[in-house]
Amino acid sequence: MSAPSTHLVIADDHPLFRDALRQAVASVLSTAKIDEAGSFEDLTKLLEQTSDVDLVLLDLSMPGISGFSGLIYLRAQYPAIPVVIVSASDDSATIRRSLDFGASGFIPKRFGVETLRDAIRKVMEGDVWVPADTDLTAAADPDMTRLRDRLVTLTPQQVRVLMMLSEGLLNKQIAYELGVSEATIKAHVSAILQKLGVESRTQAVIAAARIAGGQWKQGTPTG
């Protein structure tokens, strides 16, 4: 039997939807290798173990991420791997921001298997796929554009730290989770504040939540 020519990862915390996506992918790419991840931690572990992934289908909201944090991290850490967002939040603003942050497409969860198949086929051919009825022509908010441009300057590790700040974790907790020293986390936090043009951890979390349209989960960041 010949080796699979395409390797996809489905990252979604709902097993039934992962199964529907798997069926849609298999109907388009019968020889594809398909891995699944039910949390962002599972996804990052999988990507650390293999570098031959051709496409990630990513839910915007799953354990370990919220809003665009996962997309921003993946585009920074694995710029060669296309990411398509598959989400129940499918308003025009969310779709446009997904593309702004580097997504190769956006598939609303409300669509049926036929549309999923078509979207996956287009993306695998190198096209950017969004719903036909999406309005991407609305003028962008200049403040939001500046904030987005600042956010994408963060390194992958800084994105992870900001995600954890948003969950309200302390520096020592983040250091433990990432396996680094507390001093390293303090340095990351300082860099994040500088890059985002803010003066406190709380302002950094609020800025991240703004760019996510309120979807970036906010905890209570403290020292």
Side-chain angles (χ1 to χ4, degrees):
M1 181 179 295
S2 61
S5 57
T6 307
H7 185 186
L8 291 88
V9 179
I10 299 170
D12 192 289
D13 60 334
H14 294 93
L16 289 177
F17 191 76
R18 288 204 306 271
D19 187 57
L21 269 180
R22 174 182 280 272
Q23 292 183 41
V25 170
S27 69
V28 175
L29 304 161
S30 59
T31 62
K33 176 183 178 183
I34 305 171
D35 284 319
E36 298 182 14
S39 70
F40 194 68
E41 181 180 4
D42 290 343
L43 174 60
T44 54
K45 285 181 178 178
L46 193 155
L47 293 177
E48 286 167 3
Q49 294 167 0
T50 179
S51 59
D52 69 343
V53 175
D54 298 294
L55 178 67
V56 173
L57 298 171
L58 178 71
D59 188 10
L60 276 181
S61 182
M62 61 188 297
I65 62 172
S66 57
F68 302 101
S69 58
L71 174 60
I72 295 169
Y73 175 81
L74 292 179
R75 298 309 298 140
Q77 182 72 18
Y78 304 102
I81 301 177
V83 179
V84 170
I85 299 300
V86 184
S87 177
S89 302
D90 57 3
D91 58 279
S92 294
T94 299
I95 294 174
R96 185 164 77 173
R97 286 180 190 171
S98 296
L99 299 182
D100 285 346
F101 282 122
S104 296
F106 191 105
I107 307 173
K109 285 189 173 182
R110 59 184 165 87
F111 286 161
V113 175
E114 284 294 330
T115 304
L116 289 175
R117 279 203 289 258
D118 179 60
I120 291 166
R121 185 181 294 110
K122 292 289 188 184
V123 170
M124 294 309 298
E125 291 172 353
D127 294 335
V128 174
W129 194 96
V130 297
D133 60 354
T134 304
D135 179 13
L136 300 176
T137 63
D141 180 340
D143 290 339
M144 200 67 77
T145 299
R146 281 193 292 271
L147 182 54
R148 181 203 69 208
D149 290 345
R150 287 176 178 268
L151 205 54
V152 297
T153 66
L154 300 181
T155 67
Q157 191 78 325
Q158 288 165 1
V159 174
R160 292 296 291 273
V161 171
L162 181 55
M163 290 160 68
M164 292 178 177
L165 290 179
S166 298
E167 295 171 359
L169 298 186
L170 305 173
N171 283 353
K172 61 183 179 182
Q173 293 172 311
I174 298 173
Y176 176 79
E177 290 291 332
L178 296 181
V180 298
S181 70
E182 192 171 345
T184 296
I185 298 304
K186 288 181 178 178
H188 280 317
V189 171
S190 295
I192 290 168
L193 299 186
Q194 182 177 19
K195 288 183 176 182
L196 295 186
V198 297
E199 298 179 355
S200 70
R201 298 159 65 100
T202 300
Q203 288 178 347
V205 172
I206 291 172
R210 265 192 80 208
I211 198 69
Q215 294 177 25
W216 194 308
K217 179 171 59 180
Q218 293 185 63
T220 307
T222 54

